[in-house]
C-alpha cells in the first residue's frame, strides 16, 4: 500500500496486512462519524426552534428503520472480524523452517539467545526475509515484546512460554519496547531490533555478534557454545542421562527423550498433551503434574535448580535428539556418551564448529548490559540524546 | 406495583408513622413499622425481599469468583489437588456438613415461630441454630489448628512437616494411608526411611552413577532440594484456596451468628421488629440458607476430590 | 393521605404538577425545601434524604475529579519532553496510577449513579425516597472511608501499579502502598453495591401508580442496567483485589507463578469486572443523553423500546467480552476469536442508541442550549471512541495497538468525551432542579465548546502517537513522538480551562443565578412536576401516572404558538403549556 503520512515503516509480512485493515477501519470510522455528525447537525439546524418547517406527523418509532440500521452494522462487524481473524492466525502459523530465538524478559531488560549460541541484551539481530519464531518467558513479572514496525507484540509471562512468529521484510533498525507495565523502569526496558541483509547477518553471526552494539557490552571469556551444546552439557551436569540416556536401548528409569519433541503424550490421568516447548519446561519444573502413562513418577523437580535460561538450553538439546539410523537399526548403540551418541539435529556437533554453516558458527561473545545504574546509558541507547529530567 | 397501591394507600395511611404497636400475642396480626418511603406494608416487605435477593446475588458472585479460581487450578493441576486434599479430614467435614444442614432446618423453624408470634419458640430455635453454628466454627477451628500445626498455613506450606505429622498420625493404620499422601511421589514410609530412587536399589545396574542420598525423612534424591520446596508450593495453591474459601465462609457464619444473637436480644426486649414483624427474621433466615448452600458446594469440592 | 389521580383525557398537555409543586404555581425558591429544611451540619451528615446524599456525593466526587485532573495535568506536563519534564520514572508511574485509580474507582464509576442517580431516581419514579435510605447513607460513608484510604495510600508511599493492578507485579514485586489502596477500593466497591441494591429495589417496587416499565424515563432504564452490572461484577473484582492483598501479606500463591499460581487468571478475573465496569461508566451518561436530547428537541425519544432494551443488552452482553483485553497474552487463539466476535456484537446496542438519538432530532423543535451542545458533543466523541474500540476488538489490529497510546485515546474519547461530557450535560440539565437556580447560559455554552475543542486537541494526537507505536505508561519516550505529546499537552491546557469555567459559574450561580422555577426547560418527567428544589418528601401527593414517557407536545408547522419559554423565564404555568 502507498505511503501515507505518519505511517511507520511496515517491516514484517504481517504489517502490510494489518495496515490495510487499519485504514479500512479508519475509513469506516470517518464514514460513520460524519454520517452521524452531519445528520444530527443538519437535522438540528433544520428543526431548530423558531424555524418554520413541516413538523407534522412526527414519528417516534419505526421497526423497519430500526432493523435497517441494526443489521448492516452486524454484518459489517462480522466482516471485519473475519478479515482480522484471518490475518491474526498468521502469527500462529509458524512455518517449519522458522529460525527459533529465545527471549527471556526480566526487570528491566531483554535477554536474547540465538540457537547458534549468540546471546545479546536489549538487541535482536535477524536476517531479512527469514521467518523468525520467538519463544519467550519472563523471570519475574509480565512484560511484553513489542516492535511497532512489525505491528506485533505479545506478553511475556512468568511461568509460561508465549511465542509469535513473523518474517521481517525490510532491513533497518527498529525500536524494541517492553509494552506491559512492569515497574519503575518500564519505559527504559527496550532497545533495538536490527534487520540485516543476509550478507551482513552472516558477517555478524560469524564474528559472534561482536560489533559493540549493546551499551556497556563486555565480551565474555566463556562461551563459544551453541544453545544445543550448552544444553548438552547441562544435561550431563544434572545427570538427566541417568534416567534418560539418549543412547540406551533398553528401558531406562525414565522414558527416552529421543524424538520426543512434537509428539503427543498420553498421560496416566487420561489427558493428552503435545510435547511442545511449554511441555518440556513444565515437566522439568512440575513433573508430577504430567504422569506419563506407563511410567511410575519418579522424575525430580528442577524448580529452583534450573533457571529459565537453562531450561531453554536443555530444551534445545532435547529437541535436537532425533533417532539416528544406527539406533533405529541394530540397536547396539550403548556405551557411547550421552551427549555424543544421537546426532543432534542442528549441525553443531559438540566437538567443534568445523563444517557448520556460518549461521550457527557459535558466538564467542556474551554481552551483558550492566544491570544497575544504567538509567542514562539505557536512555541514550533507546532514545538517543541525554536525559534531562530528575 | 400497579394501581393496587392506590387502593392500598388508604389502609396504609392508617398504620403510617404511628408508633404504638399493641403487642397482640394471640391474634397473629402483625403491624410492622411502616417507613415513610413506602406506601404499605406489602410494598415494604416485597422491597425487603427483592433487596435481600439482590444482595444474595452479589454474594453468589463474590464466592463465584473463588469457585472459578478453584476450578481453573483444579483442572490445571489435578494431581496436586487430589493429593493435597487428603490432608483434610473427611469425618470432620461430614460432621460440619450435618451441623450446617440441621441449622438450616432450625432456622426455618425459627422463622416459622416468629410468624406465629411464638416468642420463646423463636428464641429457642435461634439458640439451637447458634449452637450448631458454634459447633461448626469449633470444628473448623480444630481443622485450622491441625493445618497450622502441620505447617500448612498461608506463608508456610511445609510439606515436609505435614508429611511427617501425617506419618505420625497414621502410621500403622490400615487403609488409604498406606501409600502416603502423594501416590506419584515417595510414600510416607519411604520418605521416613530415606527415599531411594524410585524403588531402585543401588545394586541395580541402572543406578550406576547416581548418588545416593543419606537417609532421613526429607532428603530427596539427586541432591535436588527443590523437591520439598516444590511440593510445598504446589500444595500451597490448594491450601491457599482452601483457606480463602473456607475463611470467607467462616466470616459469613460469624456475621450470621451475630445477627441471630441480635434477633434473640430483640425478642427478649419484645421489640416490634419481632413482635410486630417477621421480616428481619426471615431476611436473616435467607442469608443463613445461602451460607449453608455455599458450604454444600465447598464440602465436596474440598474434601471429596476423586 | 390522599392520592391525586389526574385524567388528562383529550388534553395534549396534561398538567402533571399542579397539585404537586409546593404551591401550585410558584415563582421563586419554595419556602421549605430539602436544602433549607434543616441547617445543622449534623442534619447533613446524618441525613437519609436521597437528595441530600446525592449532594454529599456530588461534593465528594467533584473533589475526586479535581484531584484526578490535577494528576492528569502533571502527567501531561511530564510528557512534553521525551526525557521527562519534571518527574523521575518512579514518580511518573505513581502519578499516572493515581490518575487512573482516582478517575476510575473514585470518580467515574460512582459519578452519575451516586450523584444524579441518587438525586433523581426517586423523583423520576415518583417515590418519596429510595427503598433503604439508611443503606444509602451508609454507602456514602463507605465511599468516604474507601476514598480516604485510597487517597492516603496514593499520597503516602504511593501506588505504582497502574489502575489495573496486574499480578505478579502488584502482588509480589511492587513495593508501593498497594494493599492499602486496594482496601480503599474494596470499600468504595461496596458503596457501589449498596447503591445498586437500593436502585434495583426502588425501580422494581416503588414506582408510582401507573408508572409501568415502559413509561419509565430512559435514564431509569440506564440506571437499572448499571445497577445490574454493579451487583454482578463488583463482588468479583472485590474478591480478586482482596486476593492480591492476601497474596501480598501472606504470600499465598494464587496469582504468583513462583508460588504455583497463574498471573493471567488475575487478568481474567479483573476484566470480568472491569470490562462491564466500562459500561457502568457509560450507561448512565447514555441515559442522560436520552433525557437531554428529548427535552431539547421537545420530542419523544425515537425507538423508546429499542433504546431501553439496548441498555439491558449492553449490561448482559458486556459480561461476555472481557477477554478482549487479553489478546496479547497466552490466551488461546480460539478463545481470543470468540471474545473478538462478541466484542463486535456488543457494539451493536450502542450503535442502536446513537442512531435513535439522531432520529429523535428529526421533526423536533431543537433548542441549541448548553445541554444540547454537550449532548451533541457526546454523540460525536462517543461515536469516535466507540468505533476506535472496534480497532481493538479486531484481533489483527489489536496486537499492534494494544497498550499503546491508541488505547489511551480510545478510552479517553469514551470516558471523557462520552461519560464526562454526559455527566456535565446532566449536571447542567438538573442543576436548576437541585439548586433552584439557573446557571448562566452563555458561559455554559462557551465552556461546552471550549471543552469540545480542547478535548479533541488533547486526545486526537494520541491516536496517531499510538498508531506509530508509542507505548503507554512510559515516563520517557523516543523523540519522534514528541510532536504528538506536545500537541496533546497543549490541548490539555485548553481542556483544563474548559473544566474550570463550569466550576466557577456553577458555584457562582448558587448565590447569584436566576431563580429557576419548577420546570425551566419545559421538560416532562415526574421530577419536573415538583418544585425546585424539591421538598424533603419530594411530592406533596403521590403522583399517579397516566401518560407515556416523553409525551411532548406534538409540534405543528409553526411553533410560534408553542409557548415554551426561554430558560430564563421563571416558570411554565399549566395554563401556558395547555395553550
Ligand atoms: C466508558 C468506557 C468504555 C466504553 C464504553 C468502551 C467501549 C468499547 N471498548 Fe473499550 N476500553 C476502555 C473503556 C471503554 N471502552 C478502557 C478504559 C480501556 C483500557 C483499559 C486499560 O487497559 O487500561 C478499553 C480497552 C478496550 C479494549 C482492549 C484493548 C487492549 O487492551 O488491547 C478493547 C478491545 O476490544 C475495547 C473495545 C471496546 C468496544 C468494542 C467498545 C464498544 O462498546 C463500543 C461501542 C460503540 C460504538 C461502536 C460506536 C457507536 C456505533 C456507531 C456509530 C455505528 C457503527 C457501528 C458499527 C459499524 C459496528 N476497549
Ligand atoms: C474517568 C476517567 C478519566 C478521565 C476523566 C481522564 C482525564 C484525563 N486524562 Fe486520563 N486516564 C484514565 C482515566 C481518565 N482520564 C485512565 C483509567 C488511565 C490509565 C491509567 C493507567 O495506565 O493505569 C488514564 C491515563 C492517562 C494518560 C496516559 C498516561 C500513560 O499511559 O503514561 C494520559 C496522558 O495524557 C491522561 C491524560 C488525561 C487528561 C489530560 C485528562 C483530562 O480530561 C483531565 C481534565 C481535567 C482537569 C484538568 C481537572 C480540572 C481542572 C483543574 C483541577 C485545574 C488545575 C489544572 C491545571 C492548572 C492544568 N490520562
Ligand atoms: Cu518490562 Cu515493561
Ligand atoms: Cu473491554
Amino acid at each position: 500500500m502507498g505511503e501515507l503520512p505518519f505511517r511507520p515503516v511496515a517491516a514484517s509480512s504481517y504489517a502490510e496486512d494489518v495496515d490495510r485493515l487499519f485504514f479500512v477501519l479508519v475509513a469506516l470510522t470517518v464514514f460513520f462519524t460524519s454520517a452521524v455528525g452531519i445528520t444530527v447537525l443538519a437535522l438540528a439546524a433544520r428543526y431548530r426552534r423558531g424555524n418554520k418547517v413541516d413538523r407534522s406527523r412526527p414519528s417516534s418509532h419505526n421497526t423497519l428503520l430500526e432493523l435497517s440500521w441494526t443489521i448492516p452494522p452486524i454484518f459489517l462487524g462480522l466482516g471485519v472480524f473475519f478479515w482480522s481473524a484471518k490475518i491474526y492466525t498468521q502469527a500462529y502459523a509458524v512455518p517449519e523452517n522458522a529460525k527459533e530465538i529465545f527471549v527471556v524478559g526480566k526487570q528491566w531488560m531483554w535477554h536474547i539467545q540465538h540457537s547458534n549460541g549468540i546471546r545479546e541484551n536489549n538487541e535482536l539481530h535477524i536476517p531479512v526475509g527469514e521467518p523468525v519464531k520467538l519463544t519467550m518467558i519472563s523471570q519475574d513479572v509480565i512484560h511484553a515484546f513489542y516492535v511497532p514496525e512489525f505491528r506485533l507484540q505479545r506478553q511475556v509471562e512468568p511461568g509460561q512460554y508465549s511465542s509469535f512468529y513473523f518474517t521481517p521484510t525490510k532491513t533497518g533498525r527498529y525500536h524494541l519496547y517492553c509494552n506491559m507495565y512492569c515497574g519503575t523502569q518500564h519505559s527504559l526496558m527496550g532497545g533495538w531490533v536490527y534487520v540485516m541483509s543476509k550478507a551482513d547477518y552472516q558477517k555478524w553471526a560469524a564474528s559472534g555478534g561482536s560489533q559493540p552494539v549493546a551499551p556497556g557490552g563486555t565480551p565474555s571469556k566463556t562461551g563459544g557454545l551453541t544453545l544445543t551444546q550448552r544444553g548438552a552439557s547441562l544435561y550431563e551436569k544434572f545427570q538427566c542421562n541417568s534416567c534418560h540416556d539418549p543412547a540406551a536401548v533398553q528401558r531406562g528409569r525414565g522414558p527416552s527423550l529421543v524424538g520426543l519433541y512434537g509428539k503427543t503424550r498420553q498421560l496416566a490421568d487420561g489427558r493428552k498433551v503435545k510435547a511442545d516447548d511449554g511441555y518440556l519446561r513444565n515437566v522439568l519444573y512440575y513433573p508430577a503434574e504430567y504422569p506419563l502413562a506407563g511410567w511410575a513418577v519418579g522424575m525430580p523437580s528442577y524448580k529452583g535448580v534450573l533457571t529459565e535460561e537453562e531450561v531453554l538450553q536443555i530444551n534445545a538439546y532435547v529437541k535436537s535428539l532425533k533417532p539416528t539410523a544406527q539406533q533405529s537399526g541394530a540397536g547396539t548403540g550403548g556405551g557411547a556418551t550421552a551427549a555424543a551418541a544421537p546426532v543432534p539435529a542442528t549441525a553443531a556437533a559438540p566437538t567443534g564448529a568445523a563444517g557448520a554453516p556460518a549461521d550457527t558458527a557459535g558466538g564467542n561473545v556474551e554481552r551483558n548490559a550492566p544491570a544497575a545504574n544504567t538509567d542514562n546509558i539505557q536512555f541514550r541507547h533507546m532514545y538517543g540524546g541525554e536525559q534531562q529530567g530528575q | 406495583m400497579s394501581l393496587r397501591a392506590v387502593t392500598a394507600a388508604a389502609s396504609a395511611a392508617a398504620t403510617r408513622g404511628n408508633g404504638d404497636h399493641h403487642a397482640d400475642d394471640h391474634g397473629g396480626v402483625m403491624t410492622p413499622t411502616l417507613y415513610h418511603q413506602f406506601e404499605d406494608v406489602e410494598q415494604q416487605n416485597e422491597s425487603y425481599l427483592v433487596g435481600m435477593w439482590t444482595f444474595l446475588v452479589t454474594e453468589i458472585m463474590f464466592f463465584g469468583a473463588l469457585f472459578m479460581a478453584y476450578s481453573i487450578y483444579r483442572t490445571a493441576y489435578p494431581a496436586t489437588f487430589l493429593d493435597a486434599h487428603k490432608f483434610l479430614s473427611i469425618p470432620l467435614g461430614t460432621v460440619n456438613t450435618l451441623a450446617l444442614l440441621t441449622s438450616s432446618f432450625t432456622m426455618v423453624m425459627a422463622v416459622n415461630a416468629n410468624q406465629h408470634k411464638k416468642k420463646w419458640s423463636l428464641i429457642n430455635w435461634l439458640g439451637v441454630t447458634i449452637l450448631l453454628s458454634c459447633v461448626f466454627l469449633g470444628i473448623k477451628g480444630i481443622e485450622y489448628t491441625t493445618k497450622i500445626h502441620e505447617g500448612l498455613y498461608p506463608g508456610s506450606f511445609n510439606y515436609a512437616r505435614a508429611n511427617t505429622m501425617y506419618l505420625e498420625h497414621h502410621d500403622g493404620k490400615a487403609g488409604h494411608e498406606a501409600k502416603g499422601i502423594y501416590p506419584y511421589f515417595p510414600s510416607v514410609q519411604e520418605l521416613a526411611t530415606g527415599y531411594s530412587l524410585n524403588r531402585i536399589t543401588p545394586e541395580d545396574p541402572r543406578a550406576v552413577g547416581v548418588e545416593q542420598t543419606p537417609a532421613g525423612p526429607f532428603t530427596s534424591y539427586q541432591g535436588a532440594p527443590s523437591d520439598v520446596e516444590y511440593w510445598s508450593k504446589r500444595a500451597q495453591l490448594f491450601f491457599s484456596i482452601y483457606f480463602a474459601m473456607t475463611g470467607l465462609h467462616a466470616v459469613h457464619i460469624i456475621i450470621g451468628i451475630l445477627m441471630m444473637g441480635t434477633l434473640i436480644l430483640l425478642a427478649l426486649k419484645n421489640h416490634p421488629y419481632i413482635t410486630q414483624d417477621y421480616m428481619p427474621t426471615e431476611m436473616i433466615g435467607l442469608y443463613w440458607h445461602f451460607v449453608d448452600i455455599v458450604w454444600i458446594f465447598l464440602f465436596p469440592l474440598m474434601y471429596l476430590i476423586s | 393521605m390522599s392520592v391525586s389521580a389526574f385524567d388528562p383525557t383529550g388534553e395534549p398537555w396534561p398538567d402533571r404538577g399542579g397539585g404537586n409543586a409546593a404551591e401550585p404555581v410558584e415563582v421563586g425558591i419554595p419556602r421549605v425545601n430539602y436544602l433549607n429544611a434543616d441547617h445543622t451540619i449534623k442534619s447533613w451528615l446524618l441525613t437519609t434524604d436521597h437528595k441530600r446524599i446525592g449532594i454529599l456525593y456530588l461534593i465528594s466526587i467533584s473533589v475526586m475529579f479535581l484531584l484526578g485532573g490535577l494528576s492528569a495535568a502533571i502527567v501531561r506536563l511530564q510528557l512534553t519532553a521525551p526525557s521527562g519534564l519534571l518527574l523521575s520514572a518512579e514518580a511518573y508511574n505513581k502519578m499516572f496510577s493515581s490518575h487512573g485509580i482516582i478517575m476510575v474507582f473514585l470518580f467515574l464509576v460512582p459519578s452519575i449513579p451516586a450523584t444524579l442517580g441518587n438525586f433523581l431516581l426517586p423523583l423520576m419514579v415518583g417515590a418519596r425516597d429510595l427503598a433503604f435510605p439508611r443503606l444509602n447513607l451508609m454507602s456514602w460513608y463507605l465511599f468516604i472511608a474507601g476514598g480516604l484510604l485510597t487517597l492516603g495510600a496514593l499520597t503516602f508511599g504511593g501506588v505504582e501499579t497502574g489502575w489495573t493492578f496486574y499480578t505478579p507485579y502488584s502482588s509480589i514485586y511492587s513495593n508501593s502502598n498497594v494493599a492499602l489502596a486496594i482496601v480503599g477500593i474494596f470499600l468504595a466497591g461496596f458503596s457501589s453495591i449498596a447503591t445498586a441494591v437500593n436502585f434495583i429495589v426502588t425501580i422494581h417496587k416503588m414506582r408510582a401508580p401507573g408508572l409501568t416499565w415502559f413509561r419509565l424515563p430512559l435514564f431509569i432504564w440506564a440506571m437499572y442496567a448499571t445497577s445490574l452490572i454493579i451487583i454482578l461484577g463488583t463482588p468479583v473484582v472485590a474478591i480478586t483485589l482482596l486476593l492480591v492483598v492476601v497474596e501480598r501479606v501472606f504470600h499465598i500463591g494464587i496469582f504468583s507463578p513462583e508460588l504455583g499460581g497463574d498471573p493471567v487468571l488475575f487478568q481474567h478475573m479483573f476484566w470480568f469486572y472491569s470490562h462491564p465496569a466500562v459500561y457502568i461508566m457509560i450507561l448512565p451518561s447514555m441515559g442522560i443523553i436520552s433525557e437531554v436530547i428529548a427535552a431539547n428537541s421537545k420530542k419523544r425519544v425515537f425507538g423508546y423500546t429499542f433504546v431501553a432494551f439496548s441498555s439491558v443488552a449492553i449490561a448482559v452482553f458486556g459480561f461476555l467480552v472481557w477477554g478482549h483485553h487479553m489478546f496479547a497474552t497466552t490466551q488461546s487463539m480460539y478463545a481470543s476469536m470468540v471474545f473478538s466476535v462478541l466484542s463486535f456484537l456488543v457494539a451493536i446496542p450502542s450503535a442502536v442508541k446513537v442512531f435513535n438519538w439522531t432520529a429523535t432530532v428529526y421533526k423536533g423543535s431543537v433548542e441549541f442550549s448548553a445541554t444540547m451542545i454537550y449532548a451533541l458533543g457526546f454523540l460525536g466523541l462517543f461515536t469516535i471512541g466507540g468505533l476506535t474500540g472496534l480497532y481493538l476488538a479486531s484481533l489483527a489490529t489489536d496486537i499492534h495497538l494494544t497498550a499503546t497510546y491508541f488505547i489511551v485515546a480510545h478510552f479517553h474519547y469514551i470516558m471523557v468525551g462520552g461519560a464526562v461530557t454526559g455527566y456535565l450535560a446532566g449536571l447542567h440539565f438538573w442543576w436548576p432542579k437541585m439548586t433552584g437556580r439557573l446557571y448562566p447560559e452563555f458561559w455554559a455554552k462557551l465552556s461546552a465548546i471550549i471543552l469540545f475543542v480542547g478535548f479533541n486537541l488533547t486526545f486526537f494526537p494520541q491516536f496517531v502517537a499510538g498508531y506509530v507505536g508509542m507505548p503507554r505508561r512510559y515516563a520517557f519516550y523516543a523523540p519522534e513522538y514528541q510532536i504528538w505529546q506536545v500537541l496533546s499537552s497543549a490541548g490539555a491546557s485548553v481542556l483544563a480551562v474548559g473544566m474550570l469555567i463550569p466550576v466557577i459559574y456553577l458555584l457562582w450561580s448558587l448565590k447569584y443565578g436566576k431563580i429557576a422555577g419548577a420546570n425551566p426547560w419545559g421538560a416532562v418527567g415526574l421530577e419536573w412536576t415538583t418544585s425546585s428544589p424539591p421538598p424533603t418528601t419530594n411530592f406533596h401527593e403521590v403522583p399517579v401516572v397516566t401518560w407515556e414517557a416523553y409525551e411532548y407536545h406534538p409540534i405543528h408547522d409553526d411553533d410560534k404558538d408553542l409557548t415554551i419559554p426561554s430558560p430564563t423565564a421563571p416558570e411554565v404555568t399549566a395554563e401556558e403549556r395547555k395553550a
Side-chain angles (χ1 to χ4, degrees), chain B residues 1-6 9-10 13-14 16 35-39 42-44 46-55 57-66 68-70 72-73 77 153-157 232-234 236-237 239-241 243-244 248 273, chain C residues 1 3 48 126-134 186 190 193 196-197 200-201 204-211 230-236 238-240 242-243 250-256 258-263 265 268-269 272 319 536-537 542 544-545:
Chain B
M1 202 176 82
S2 66
L3 283 161
R4 162 187 61 72
V6 181
R16 162 181 309 272
Y35 285 99
H36 84 99
Q37 68 271 25
F38 296 112
E39 289 302 324
E42 195 189 343
Q43 187 191 32
Q44 174 167 320
E46 284 174 4
S47 298
Y48 287 160
L49 264 179
V50 176
M52 194 63 199
W53 278 107
T54 317
F55 172 71
V57 170
T58 70
E59 287 277 37
I60 291 175
M61 296 308 289
F62 206 62
F63 279 99
L66 285 173
M68 192 176 83
Y70 170 90
I72 284 174
Y73 285 131
Y77 313 121
Y153 54 88
S156 146
F157 285 84
S232 315
K233 285 188 170 157
R234 271 300 155 108
Q236 170 163 345
L237 196 62
F239 285 104
S240 297
I241 292 178
F243 274 107
L248 191 66
Y273 274 3
Chain C
M1 70 172 288
V3 172
T48 52
R128 277 181 226 93
D129 204 323
L130 289 170
F132 309 118
R134 281 179 295 179
F186 187 84
F190 271 86
I193 293 178
V197 169
I200 287 185
V201 175
H204 265 284
K205 287 290 158 200
M206 299 180 68
R207 281 170 283 128
L211 188 55
I230 292 177
I231 63 161
L232 292 175
T234 314
V236 176
I239 195 73
T240 310
L242 208 59
L243 286 176
F250 296 115
H251 300 285
I252 75 168
I254 292 196
F255 300 128
S256 159
E258 264 157 60
L259 305 174
D262 180 0
L265 178 66
H268 279 291
M269 290 169 76
F272 179 82
F319 276 100
T536 306
T537 49
V542 172
V544 176
V545 180

Side-chain angles (χ1 to χ4, degrees), chain C residues 172-419:
Chain C
I172 305 283
Y173 289 84
S174 169
N175 45 20
S176 58
N177 219 341
V178 180
L180 196 61
I182 285 183
V183 173
I185 291 170
F186 187 84
L187 292 180
F190 271 86
S191 108
S192 289
I193 293 178
T195 305
V197 169
N198 238 330
F199 284 6
I200 287 185
V201 175
T202 309
I203 296 174
H204 265 284
K205 287 290 158 200
M206 299 180 68
R207 281 170 283 128
L211 188 55
T212 58
W213 281 92
F214 292 100
R215 284 175 174 175
L216 285 174
L218 287 165
F219 181 71
I220 299 294
W221 277 91
M223 291 321 302
Y224 187 76
T226 309
S227 307
L228 274 186
I229 305 178
I230 292 177
I231 63 161
L232 292 175
T234 314
V236 176
V237 82
I239 195 73
T240 310
L241 292 179
L242 208 59
L243 286 176
V244 171
V245 175
V246 176
E247 185 153 321
R248 275 185 82 80
V249 178
F250 296 115
H251 300 285
I252 75 168
I254 292 196
F255 300 128
S256 159
E258 264 157 60
L259 305 174
D262 180 0
V264 181
L265 178 66
F266 173 85
Q267 297 185 26
H268 279 291
M269 290 169 76
F270 181 83
W271 290 116
F272 179 82
Y273 162 78
S274 288
H275 180 79
V278 307
Y279 296 122
I280 296 179
M281 305 175 206
I282 198 69
L283 276 171
S285 274
M286 291 171 154
I288 289 177
I289 297 302
S290 298
E291 301 294 320
V292 169
I293 290 189
N296 279 295
S297 318
K298 290 285 170 288
K299 204 166 151 279
R300 181 177 163 84
V301 173
F302 194 87
Y304 174 95
T305 29
F306 285 87
V307 179
F309 277 117
S310 64
S311 291
V312 181
I314 289 178
V316 174
F317 293 116
F319 276 100
L320 306 176
V321 301
W322 77 88
H324 69 201
H325 293 268
M326 302 165 57
F327 291 156
T329 65
T330 43
Q331 173 171 282
S332 91
M333 185 173 82
Y334 301 103
S336 292
M337 284 189 179
V338 172
F339 285 122
S340 166
V341 73
L342 288 173
S343 305
F344 278 99
L345 295 182
V346 83
I348 299 300
S350 304
V352 167
K353 280 182 193 283
V354 168
F355 294 139
N356 277 307
W357 289 324
T358 309
T360 303
V361 178
Y362 177 62
K363 290 202 170 170
S365 169
V366 179
E367 167 92 55
F368 278 96
S369 61
T371 48
M372 187 65 179
I373 297 178
Y374 274 119
L376 291 175
F378 172 98
L379 219 57
L381 301 179
F382 172 72
T383 304
I384 297 180
L387 287 167
T388 49
L390 299 180
Y391 297 48
L392 306 171
S394 61
L395 296 158
T397 35
D398 182 68
I399 56 172
H400 168 41
L401 299 170
T402 182
T404 63
Y405 263 82
F406 193 91
I407 288 199
V408 176
H410 155 67
F411 66 70
H412 281 93
Y413 258 81
I414 293 198
M415 299 209 293
V416 185

Side-chain angles (χ1 to χ4, degrees), chain A residues 340-354:
Chain A
V343 178
T346 63
T351 41

